[in-house]
Amino acid sequence: MKYQIKRADMRHNVDIDGKYDFIDESPVTVDKNSYQVRVLETDVNGALKVVMINRKIYHVSVRARADGFPEEVVLKGVPYRLEVEKIESTRYRPPPPPKSIPGDMLASMPGQVVTLLAQEGEQVEEGQSVLVLEAMKMENEILAPKSGKLVRVAVKEGELVMKGDPLFEVE
Amino acid sequence: MKYQIKRADMRHNVDIDGKYDFIDESPVTVDKNSYQVRVLETDVNGALKVVMINRKIYHVSVRARADGFPEEVVLKGVPYRLEVEKIESTRYRPPPPPKSIPGDMLASMPGQVVTLLAQEGEQVEEGQSVLVLEAMKMENEILAPKSGKLVRVAVKEGELVMKGDPLFEVE
Amino acid sequence: MFSRVLIANRGLIQANCVRAVKELGCRAITVYDPGDRQNTGVRNADESHELKVGNSRIPYEDIDQIVALAEQLQVDAVHPGYGFLAQNAVFRQRLQAKGIQLIAPGHAADVQLEDKPQLRRLARSLGLPVLPGSDTLTEVAELKAAAEKIGYPLMMKASQGYGGIGIRVIEREADIEPNYRQIKGQADRYLSRAEDVYLEKYLPGARHIEFPLARDQFGNLVIFPERECTIQRRFRKVVTETPSSCISSVMRGRLKTAVEILMNRLKISGFVSVEFLYDSASDQAYFLEINDYIQPSHSVSALHTGVDILREQVSIAARQRLTITQKDVEPRGVAMGVFIAAEDPEHGFVPSPGVIERLHLPYGDGVYSQTNVCSGDSVGTFYDPIIALVMAVESSRERALAKMTTALDGMHIDGIRSNIPLMRALMRYPDFVRSQYDARLISDGESRERIYENFRTREQSEIAALIAALSIQRDANNQNLLDQARRDSRSKIWDMASDLFSRQK
Amino acid sequence: MFSRVLIANRGLIQANCVRAVKELGCRAITVYDPGDRQNTGVRNADESHELKVGNSRIPYEDIDQIVALAEQLQVDAVHPGYGFLAQNAVFRQRLQAKGIQLIAPGHAADVQLEDKPQLRRLARSLGLPVLPGSDTLTEVAELKAAAEKIGYPLMMKASQGYGGIGIRVIEREADIEPNYRQIKGQADRYLSRAEDVYLEKYLPGARHIEFPLARDQFGNLVIFPERECTIQRRFRKVVTETPSSCISSVMRGRLKTAVEILMNRLKISGFVSVEFLYDSASDQAYFLEINDYIQPSHSVSALHTGVDILREQVSIAARQRLTITQKDVEPRGVAMGVFIAAEDPEHGFVPSPGVIERLHLPYGDGVYSQTNVCSGDSVGTFYDPIIALVMAVESSRERALAKMTTALDGMHIDGIRSNIPLMRALMRYPDFVRSQYDARLISDGESRERIYENFRTREQSEIAALIAALSIQRDANNQNLLDQARRDSRSKIWDMASDLFSRQK
């Protein structure tokens, strides 16, 4: 199959032959270059962990969107945000990118809410600090994911939150 | 219960009260000294791994003879060979020490037999080299455990052995 | 010398203090959070005492409990390490009341090292340049008036702040009130006089230079080669270089003289570092503060000079003479240290807790690493996310940079995110290599993205695309196999599929 | 400079070579046994090639495979590290035939560094003292005759031996034949001329001193402070100190001059160390051999002097000039290194394979550790059991010893046996502390037991007895509970028992 993948302002064309399972070294073409690829290790779900490319070992991780399509590849620790734009195949199509940014914010780590910087009902701008969460002895400002009305603030100052707890929602 | 334990040319009298389980700090008397003892960690079989004695953490391991009685205590890595001589209790008695040294020698590690230094049927002295086993790129001389006749040599030069394989037997 | 010393900290500094105290022939006693029982320092101490975990979840900050224990254990002195209670005046007083010494610098009776505005006044009176700023203030109106006089941008700082606590950049008058509220809120949990703040002119383009030094009670003074620690995130030091690459030897001499004057006036006894801001545009340095605790970066100076700084520190506190002279610390080459933290620079340095599946530290000629974790350990969220210090020593800065670059390329932490990739990228970033940067270099998001982008080559971008495509391809392939299997359950395809899956594991 | 360098080794030296080669701007290519894929050096190399494992089980010694790979990959040079093929003349010739350079010292055409009897003759002709000994011999009768002339005890050594391979102490004539057979048997697997041996007078009371040095193709020579490596087990170095504590500065000067004469005569280009035996009773030193490969102990010299020895070594091989001068390596304090091995000194140093459950390395001011394993790794039986190097630097030997003692007390390996306890005991042993010892100190069983016994205090003995008793007591207690439970199955005792067991886990 042929993939078109956008990374920053570059577009890469990746051509992968379906007949390989990459347990042995097999070729993949990216733009004008050919790479010899071998999968050395995957996790229990089959996600790529260690890949050898042109004889160099890469520890990788692939972060997927909710629909399962990759949105970030971490290569030897360096994150590459990318988007799968096109797949040439009779059977598979990339889904359209999500239309709207979700406005609810969940705690990404356990911690303590030390300061609320905006009130329920207020209008907030994208990137504005809504509250300060302290974890690992450091303050983390939690920003509004988009501009809009702060319809709900789910926590109080001084409250302890666990990872995944809802913090607030912007509409 | 009271224990008498011999270590090198010293005899220690240990007095342990049966009512403690040592999950909390509890006293044990050794000779004229009292020690506060708490068991911090055991393995799945209940064998001691980490013990706090007078507030100092000791990582220990106890090696037992075939009959289950301790013969070596390793304290922060230092081995102490000892013998339980007497237990004052109505129910428990230490068994007599084994009467004869077994004459068969098993491989204590995987390796390759590189040289046989004595032939089957030969008379050997305790401590005499019978064969050389190479493991980890180093030669290990395997000695006769007692004096007697080498009744069986179970391996050939060049042979690979696994841990526990019989090597030879002295009678 | 002391006979019993309590070490009230965790991790690397705990183990290092246990070591130093034992080398001096004292009994090393320590405390631990139940979750820290495996820590090296706990295993090595002559006595270890488990702390009860209260509501604060951080027993190392539990003054009542630690003071009670220190008294009960009849220790002569307490080593606080850094962070936690290292600069807590209440802790020091409580110990003093029990006749127990906190291992912290002694000084002239008429000054308080933790009162930063007072130190600024004193430094100015001795002829040291200090930045325009205010005295201690507690009212928003006063703060606004003082800010007007100093001019924006400026820094608002808790008067007793340390370690990045209670410090904010103020761009305009409207920022004063909310920031004062936030500083007070944070300081309330760490400092005894949370309402005290002061203002200081903000020099965004300046570099941070500090002179570590030891001075004993007999007035013997040794000033170590200065450390540069301009690369910070959230006002915490990430990269340390010694000596600094941005100051001339004339400036170095001038600052050393200033340090000497200040130390003799303050009658310091102990180990401190005197911090300056250096503005390269005007070739002017300003006294900033005195760090009156042993800093994590001290390890870089120890490697550079061969001096056991911790041992000297404990020894001075016990009223011993310094065992080194100025000659012993003359610079020899360049040493560099990078703190590796379990945090995610891509997402505003949020902590990245989790299990370290595997940890590869770099080692080699001139490359030395230290850590307080093992493969298999969990990184929690309650403590400082620093998990390792990587150091390089070389004959020149150019070589030290090359060595640090290769060292960081050879460091891997599987299982959690860390700042390693950012540090690798930083070592290759032209402005850093040319020593033309300031404290915003990695703390500013846009600047950080430039550093990354410089590090992302065309080839790596192609490989990232390849990985993304391969990841879908394999999903699709697995799907194919399973689809076919469902259609023809009598075929051998189930075996093929299960074979494929088992080979992937 | 080279453009592509193949590193044919594993573990710490592989990672260190990958690092050095990358710092020099070359492409670092390496090979690995499939079981070593996680090794740091493999992850860090620009290219890694998996070796096929043949019957020998040690693919790093597979000359055919590695030479073929080196040719196919078009490398300029091969770094052999130490051990394996580092001193294999066949390997060197095979590479040379393909136009590939082995990174090993160059020398005058009329000598062969691996031929030890030849070197002994040459050294004697230059006026260096050598021990009474024989030329290369291959017949038992000749060996007996030569031994008669030299006098017992003596050493029988494979002429091309290295790293403890093919070396035996001979006490009497009857030992000659069996030992010759054993040496030949062992040498057969490592050396190309296994039948060649020579005899040398054995000085049991002597100390081992070696002078590491670098000499480039332009004749520039830098002699590093000497290393003492008298503490050995099975003729392998365990403890390294630099400089040595047993020779006077007059002797040091004399030996340095001897080294200089020898090196200039041999026209060495590269990094070697020249080893002497020093007999303190007669204050006389004897030339022993030239170690023509980078030694594991080089890390101690690198820490002591701040010189990147590996990088200089690769750079000299690439016909570059030395970047250091004699002044750069003047001794500054004392450095000490202890090799930690997964072996059991209580049982004749047998290897102790197994899984490292947890590994705590010591770190601190002046304490630097290096390892090639992680917690959770297995220690196999096919490779060298060295798993870590602990180093200390200090201003004096006394302080270095105190530091190393505390460092070793703070090192823990859970899961396997190691030589750590013996090393802790050694650092406290009066003869070692007073520097009055010889090479038998830890290799001799009785001497080793004395070292242990000195370390076993009355208190520790009591605690050992306590642990033994406690261990039985708990077994008995558990038995009681279960006995009672069987008698009265309606009681709550099952719950108590299962509760007790679950709390123990």
Side-chain angles (χ1 to χ4, degrees):
Chain A
M1 289 195 283
K2 289 190 164 71
Y3 300 82
Q4 192 178 87
I5 292 172
K6 182 165 179 281
R7 213 285 300 165
D9 50 0
M10 275 185 265
R11 282 193 167 74
H12 297 295
N13 293 298
V14 185
D15 192 350
I16 303 183
D17 193 324
K19 75 186 179 202
Y20 306 123
D21 63 4
F22 295 97
I23 288 163
D24 296 314
E25 205 166 68
S26 314
V28 173
T29 306
V30 186
D31 300 340
K32 280 168 190 140
N33 300 310
S34 175
Y35 293 91
Q36 290 296 322
V37 178
R38 186 181 157 207
V39 175
L40 295 180
E41 205 181 320
T42 64
D43 70 10
V44 287
N45 303 314
L48 300 173
K49 278 186 76 178
V50 186
V51 184
M52 189 176 251
I53 300 173
N54 286 357
R55 289 298 182 164
K56 186 164 171 60
I57 288 177
Y58 290 86
H59 285 245
V60 303
S61 74
V62 179
R63 200 171 63 200
R65 302 189 308 218
D67 58 23
F69 273 78
E71 62 172 358
E72 187 189 66
V73 170
V74 181
L75 215 58
K76 289 187 154 259
V78 183
Y80 291 79
R81 288 196 65 84
L82 36 75
E83 200 186 314
V84 180
E85 289 197 318
K86 204 159 75 181
I87 301 183
E88 278 180 34
S89 159
T90 48
R91 292 161 51 104
Y92 299 95
R93 294 262 168 248
K99 288 224 168 52
S100 63
I101 300 160
D104 60 322
M105 180 57 69
L106 308 180
S108 62
M109 62 204 143
Q112 186 178 18
V113 177
V114 294
T115 325
L116 289 176
L117 299 168
Q119 308 300 320
E120 214 167 270
E122 239 176 63
Q123 196 69 21
V124 292
E125 295 298 309
E126 181 186 336
Q128 178 184 336
S129 299
V130 177
L131 56 83
V132 179
L133 186 66
E134 186 177 296
M136 284 171 143
K137 290 199 68 186
M138 285 205 295
E139 301 204 340
N140 304 285
E141 297 192 1
I142 310 297
L143 314 179
K146 60 177 180 183
S147 302
K149 188 177 167 188
L150 190 61
V151 289
R152 193 167 73 102
V153 175
V155 291
K156 285 196 290 282
E157 285 193 4
E159 196 173 324
L160 291 171
V161 296
M162 300 311 294
K163 187 176 169 171
D165 283 355
L167 298 175
F168 58 82
E169 197 178 336
V170 181
E171 213 172 67
Chain B
M1 290 194 282
K2 290 190 164 72
Y3 300 81
Q4 193 179 88
I5 291 172
K6 183 165 178 281
R7 213 286 300 167
D9 51 0
M10 275 187 266
R11 283 193 166 74
H12 297 294
N13 293 298
V14 185
D15 192 352
I16 303 183
D17 193 324
K19 75 185 178 201
Y20 305 123
D21 62 3
F22 295 96
I23 287 163
D24 296 314
E25 205 166 67
S26 316
V28 173
T29 306
V30 186
D31 300 339
K32 282 168 189 136
N33 300 310
S34 176
Y35 293 91
Q36 289 297 322
V37 178
R38 187 182 156 204
V39 175
L40 294 180
E41 203 180 320
T42 64
D43 70 9
V44 287
N45 303 312
L48 300 173
K49 278 186 76 179
V50 186
V51 183
M52 188 176 251
I53 300 174
N54 286 356
R55 288 298 181 163
K56 185 164 170 59
I57 288 177
Y58 290 86
H59 285 244
V60 304
S61 73
V62 180
R63 200 171 62 200
R65 302 190 308 220
D67 59 23
F69 274 78
E71 62 171 358
E72 188 189 67
V73 169
V74 181
L75 215 58
K76 288 187 155 259
V78 184
Y80 291 80
R81 288 195 66 83
L82 37 76
E83 199 186 313
V84 180
E85 290 196 318
K86 206 162 73 181
I87 302 183
E88 278 180 36
S89 158
T90 49
R91 293 162 51 104
Y92 298 95
R93 294 262 167 248
K99 288 222 171 52
S100 63
I101 301 161
D104 60 319
M105 180 57 70
L106 308 180
S108 63
M109 62 202 142
Q112 185 177 18
V113 177
V114 293
T115 326
L116 289 177
L117 299 168
Q119 307 301 319
E120 213 167 87
E122 239 175 62
Q123 195 68 22
V124 293
E125 297 297 311
E126 181 186 334
Q128 178 184 334
S129 298
V130 177
L131 57 83
V132 178
L133 186 67
E134 186 178 298
M136 282 171 146
K137 290 199 71 187
M138 286 204 295
E139 302 203 339
N140 304 285
E141 297 191 1
I142 310 296
L143 314 178
K146 61 178 181 183
S147 301
K149 189 177 163 187
L150 190 63
V151 289
R152 193 167 72 101
V153 175
V155 291
K156 287 195 289 281
E157 287 193 1
E159 197 173 325
L160 290 171
V161 296
M162 299 310 295
K163 186 176 171 172
D165 283 354
L167 298 175
F168 57 83
E169 195 177 339
V170 181
E171 214 172 65
Chain C
M1 188 43 63
F2 305 122
S3 82
R4 296 167 63 83
V5 177
L6 179 70
I7 292 118
N9 213 302
R10 65 189 295 279
L12 264 181
I13 189 66
Q14 178 191 42
N16 205 353
C17 286
V18 166
R19 175 200 64 73
V21 160
K22 284 179 133 183
E23 275 186 48
L24 287 164
C26 319
R27 206 167 159 81
I29 303 169
T30 196
V31 291
Y32 60 95
D33 178 322
D36 286 342
R37 185 162 60 73
Q38 288 273 25
N39 277 5
T40 309
V42 178
R43 275 178 87 153
N44 294 345
D46 294 308
E47 283 178 40
S48 308
H49 295 265
E50 193 171 297
L51 292 169
K52 287 186 192 67
V53 179
N55 292 335
S56 81
R57 263 299 307 142
I58 300 185
Y60 301 105
E61 285 174 352
D62 186 338
I63 295 181
D64 291 343
Q65 193 178 175
I66 295 173
V67 171
L69 203 55
E71 188 183 15
Q72 178 202 325
L73 298 172
Q74 299 182 291
V75 302
D76 312 301
V78 173
H79 198 304
Y82 44 72
F84 299 132
L85 302 174
Q87 291 174 290
N88 191 301
V90 174
F91 184 56
R92 187 176 188 160
Q93 288 148 16
R94 293 274 303 276
L95 287 173
Q96 233 157 23
K98 309 277 184 193
I100 299 165
Q101 187 183 340
L102 184 72
I103 297 178
H107 50 78
D110 61 337
V111 283
Q112 291 183 299
L113 293 188
E114 66 268 25
D115 184 343
K116 306 220 164 152
Q118 189 198 2
L119 275 186
R120 282 169 44 84
R121 281 195 304 273
L122 181 77
R124 191 187 290 118
S125 75
L126 293 172
L128 275 71
V130 297
L131 285 168
S134 77
D135 269 342
T136 290
L137 300 172
T138 55
E139 297 294 333
V140 170
E142 293 172 349
L143 284 165
K144 285 184 178 170
E148 196 57 46
K149 253 172 59 187
I150 300 163
Y152 295 92
L154 42 78
M155 306 279 272
M156 187 186 292
K157 297 177 170 183
S159 294
Q160 300 183 348
Y162 59 87
I165 293 168
I167 178 165
R168 298 248 158 192
V169 176
I170 309 283
E171 301 280 357
R172 62 190 76 82
E173 194 182 278
D175 296 345
I176 287 191
E177 187 159 4
N179 278 292
Y180 180 52
R181 216 172 115 232
Q182 282 188 28
I183 286 181
K184 250 195 343 191
Q186 193 192 18
D188 209 25
R189 277 160 299 131
Y190 299 107
L191 312 176
S192 60
R193 288 210 311 275
E195 68 283 6
D196 291 359
V197 300
Y198 67 105
L199 300 176
E200 197 175 66
K201 180 79 192 154
Y202 176 44
L203 285 185
R207 309 272 286 240
H208 287 254
I209 311 283
E210 63 178 357
F211 286 84
L213 64 96
R215 189 175 181 278
D216 65 22
Q217 303 206 326
F218 312 97
N220 299 306
L221 174 69
V222 171
I223 303 178
F224 285 64
E226 80 282 358
R227 293 193 293 248
E228 163 143 23
C229 37
T230 302
I231 299 290
Q232 309 189 352
R233 57 97 180 75
R234 296 162 175 245
F235 307 110
R236 295 203 188 184
K237 293 154 190 174
V238 181
V239 178
T240 297
E241 281 181 51
T242 178
S244 161
S245 58
C246 71
I247 61 169
S248 64
S249 57
V250 172
M251 177 56 74
R252 179 174 293 122
R254 203 184 300 161
L255 293 178
K256 278 175 97 162
T257 306
V259 166
E260 197 169 339
I261 291 167
L262 187 60
M263 291 300 104
N264 289 334
R265 163 63 185 85
L266 288 171
K267 294 194 173 47
I268 287 287
S269 67
F271 212 98
V272 303
S273 73
V274 181
E275 195 164 344
F276 295 90
L277 275 182
Y278 173 70
D279 182 42
S280 50
S282 60
D283 191 27
Q284 178 66 53
Y286 302 93
F287 166 76
L288 198 60
E289 59 180 337
I290 297 175
N291 296 305
D292 61 340
Y293 56 99
I294 199 80
Q295 299 197 281
S297 302
H298 89 271
S299 301
V300 181
S301 297
L303 176 61
H304 186 230
T305 60
V307 172
D308 188 338
I309 290 176
L310 266 184
R311 199 180 54 203
E312 293 295 331
Q313 185 205 20
V314 176
S315 166
I316 297 171
R319 291 168 184 71
Q320 307 287 304
R321 275 177 195 279
L322 269 173
T323 72
I324 48 166
T325 63
Q326 189 64 40
K327 193 169 54 64
D328 295 320
V329 300
E330 287 313 307
R332 172 154 135 167
V334 172
M336 189 178 268
V338 172
F339 289 95
I340 303 301
E343 57 189 18
D344 188 350
E346 279 66 75
H347 300 94
F349 294 101
V350 295
S352 171
V355 174
I356 296 173
E357 292 170 14
R358 215 179 147 79
L359 174 66
H360 287 263
L361 289 170
Y363 300 108
D365 293 9
V367 181
Y368 306 100
S369 301
Q370 309 190 325
T371 186
N372 55 336
V373 295
C374 290
S375 302
D377 280 4
S378 296
V379 179
T381 50
F382 287 106
Y383 296 119
D384 193 316
I386 298 290
I387 53 177
L389 169 60
V390 176
M391 295 183 284
V393 272
E394 261 295 356
S395 50
S396 67
R397 181 171 192 263
E398 190 188 351
R399 287 191 153 192
L401 267 173
K403 192 166 279 308
M404 185 56 88
T405 306
T406 316
L408 292 169
D409 285 354
M411 174 163 196
H412 311 279
I413 308 180
D414 299 344
I416 57 169
R417 292 208 173 198
S418 76
N419 62 343
I420 296 172
L422 177 62
M423 291 297 111
R424 287 182 190 151
L426 177 68
M427 295 299 143
R428 292 170 165 95
Y429 191 60
D431 286 356
F432 184 69
V433 172
R434 283 194 305 258
S435 187
Q436 286 171 4
Y437 62 95
D438 59 56
R440 292 165 300 186
L441 190 61
I442 68 160
S443 61
D444 177 75
E446 279 174 37
S447 162
R448 211 158 57 228
E449 190 46 43
R450 277 195 300 275
I451 294 170
Y452 272 122
E453 205 47 45
N454 173 66
F455 187 43
R456 293 185 184 112
T457 61
R458 166 101 208 165
E459 190 199 14
Q460 296 295 300
S461 182
E462 287 187 5
I463 287 174
L466 186 160
I467 295 290
L470 185 62
S471 167
I472 314 172
Q473 175 86 6
R474 286 164 50 89
D475 280 354
N477 274 344
N478 295 346
Q479 195 58 45
N480 273 341
L481 283 168
L482 295 173
D483 285 347
Q484 285 179 46
R486 268 181 225 110
R487 277 198 302 275
D488 181 9
S489 62
R490 283 166 308 171
S491 80
K492 289 277 174 218
I493 206 112
W494 272 118
D495 301 346
M496 284 171 56
S498 65
D499 180 51
L500 175 69
F501 280 119
S502 63
R503 281 162 81 194
Q504 283 170 2
K505 276 163 203 171
Chain D
M1 186 45 64
F2 304 122
S3 82
R4 294 167 65 81
V5 177
L6 179 69
I7 291 119
N9 213 302
R10 66 189 294 280
L12 265 180
I13 188 66
Q14 178 192 40
N16 206 352
C17 286
V18 166
R19 175 200 63 73
V21 160
K22 284 179 134 183
E23 275 186 47
L24 286 164
C26 318
R27 206 167 159 82
I29 304 169
T30 197
V31 290
Y32 61 96
D33 178 324
D36 287 342
R37 185 162 59 76
Q38 288 272 24
N39 278 4
T40 309
V42 178
R43 275 178 86 154
N44 295 344
D46 294 309
E47 283 179 38
S48 308
H49 296 265
E50 193 169 297
L51 292 169
K52 286 186 193 64
V53 178
N55 292 334
S56 80
R57 265 299 306 143
I58 301 185
Y60 301 105
E61 285 173 353
D62 187 338
I63 295 181
D64 291 342
Q65 193 179 174
I66 294 173
V67 171
L69 204 55
E71 188 184 15
Q72 179 201 322
L73 297 172
Q74 299 181 289
V75 302
D76 312 301
V78 173
H79 198 303
Y82 44 71
F84 300 131
L85 302 174
Q87 291 175 290
N88 191 300
V90 174
F91 184 55
R92 186 176 188 158
Q93 287 148 16
R94 292 275 302 276
L95 287 173
Q96 233 156 21
K98 308 277 184 194
I100 299 165
Q101 188 183 341
L102 184 72
I103 297 178
H107 50 78
D110 62 337
V111 282
Q112 291 185 299
L113 293 188
E114 66 268 25
D115 184 343
K116 306 219 165 152
Q118 190 199 3
L119 275 187
R120 281 167 46 84
R121 282 196 303 275
L122 181 77
R124 191 189 291 117
S125 74
L126 293 172
L128 273 72
V130 297
L131 285 167
S134 77
D135 269 344
T136 290
L137 298 172
T138 54
E139 296 295 330
V140 171
E142 292 172 348
L143 285 164
K144 285 181 179 173
E148 197 59 45
K149 255 172 58 188
I150 300 163
Y152 297 92
L154 43 77
M155 306 279 273
M156 187 186 292
K157 296 176 170 184
S159 294
Q160 300 183 347
Y162 58 87
I165 293 167
I167 177 163
R168 297 249 158 192
V169 176
I170 311 282
E171 301 280 355
R172 61 190 76 81
E173 194 182 278
D175 296 345
I176 286 190
E177 187 160 2
N179 278 293
Y180 180 52
R181 218 172 114 231
Q182 283 188 27
I183 286 179
K184 247 192 349 189
Q186 194 192 18
D188 210 24
R189 278 160 299 129
Y190 299 107
L191 311 176
S192 60
R193 290 210 309 276
E195 68 284 3
D196 291 0
V197 301
Y198 67 105
L199 300 176
E200 196 175 66
K201 181 79 191 154
Y202 176 44
L203 286 185
R207 309 271 287 240
H208 288 254
I209 311 284
E210 63 177 357
F211 286 84
L213 64 96
R215 189 175 181 279
D216 66 22
Q217 303 206 325
F218 312 96
N220 299 305
L221 174 68
V222 171
I223 304 178
F224 285 64
E226 79 283 357
R227 292 193 293 246
E228 163 144 22
C229 37
T230 302
I231 300 290
Q232 308 189 353
R233 56 97 179 76
R234 297 161 174 242
F235 307 110
R236 295 203 189 183
K237 293 154 190 174
V238 181
V239 178
T240 298
E241 280 180 52
T242 179
S244 161
S245 58
C246 72
I247 61 169
S248 63
S249 58
V250 173
M251 176 56 74
R252 178 173 293 122
R254 204 185 300 160
L255 293 178
K256 278 176 97 162
T257 306
V259 166
E260 196 169 341
I261 291 167
L262 187 60
M263 291 300 104
N264 289 336
R265 163 63 184 86
L266 288 171
K267 295 196 171 47
I268 288 286
S269 66
F271 211 98
V272 303
S273 73
V274 181
E275 193 164 346
F276 294 90
L277 275 181
Y278 173 71
D279 182 43
S280 51
S282 61
D283 190 27
Q284 178 66 54
Y286 303 93
F287 166 76
L288 198 61
E289 60 179 337
I290 297 174
N291 296 306
D292 61 340
Y293 57 99
I294 199 81
Q295 300 199 280
S297 304
H298 89 271
S299 302
V300 181
S301 297
L303 176 61
H304 185 230
T305 60
V307 172
D308 187 339
I309 290 177
L310 267 184
R311 198 182 53 202
E312 292 295 331
Q313 185 203 23
V314 175
S315 164
I316 296 171
R319 289 167 185 73
Q320 307 287 303
R321 276 177 193 278
L322 270 172
T323 71
I324 48 167
T325 64
Q326 189 64 41
K327 194 169 51 66
D328 295 320
V329 300
E330 287 314 305
R332 171 154 135 168
V334 171
M336 190 178 268
V338 172
F339 289 95
I340 303 301
E343 58 190 17
D344 187 351
E346 278 67 75
H347 299 95
F349 294 101
V350 296
S352 173
V355 174
I356 297 172
E357 292 169 14
R358 215 179 147 80
L359 174 67
H360 287 264
L361 290 170
Y363 300 109
D365 293 10
V367 180
Y368 306 100
S369 301
Q370 308 190 326
T371 187
N372 55 334
V373 294
C374 290
S375 300
D377 279 4
S378 296
V379 179
T381 52
F382 288 106
Y383 296 119
D384 192 316
I386 298 289
I387 51 176
L389 169 61
V390 176
M391 295 184 284
V393 273
E394 261 295 356
S395 49
S396 68
R397 180 169 191 266
E398 190 188 351
R399 287 192 153 190
L401 267 173
K403 192 167 279 302
M404 185 56 87
T405 307
T406 316
L408 292 169
D409 285 355
M411 173 163 196
H412 312 279
I413 308 180
D414 297 345
I416 56 168
R417 292 208 173 197
S418 77
N419 63 343
I420 297 172
L422 178 62
M423 292 297 110
R424 288 182 191 152
L426 177 68
M427 295 299 143
R428 292 169 165 94
Y429 192 60
D431 286 356
F432 183 70
V433 172
R434 284 195 305 260
S435 186
Q436 285 170 5
Y437 63 95
D438 58 54
R440 293 165 301 186
L441 189 62
I442 68 160
S443 61
D444 177 76
E446 281 173 36
S447 163
R448 209 159 56 227
E449 190 46 43
R450 278 195 299 277
I451 293 170
Y452 273 122
E453 205 46 46
N454 173 67
F455 187 44
R456 293 185 183 110
T457 62
R458 167 102 208 163
E459 190 200 14
Q460 297 295 298
S461 182
E462 287 186 5
I463 287 174
L466 186 160
I467 296 288
L470 185 63
S471 167
I472 313 174
Q473 176 87 6
R474 285 167 47 91
D475 279 355
N477 273 344
N478 296 345
Q479 194 60 43
N480 273 340
L481 283 169
L482 294 174
D483 285 347
Q484 285 180 45
R486 268 183 223 106
R487 278 198 301 276
D488 181 9
S489 62
R490 281 166 309 171
S491 80
K492 288 278 176 218
I493 204 114
W494 272 119
D495 302 346
M496 284 171 55
S498 66
D499 179 48
L500 175 68
F501 280 118
S502 63
R503 281 163 77 194
Q504 284 170 3
K505 273 161 206 172

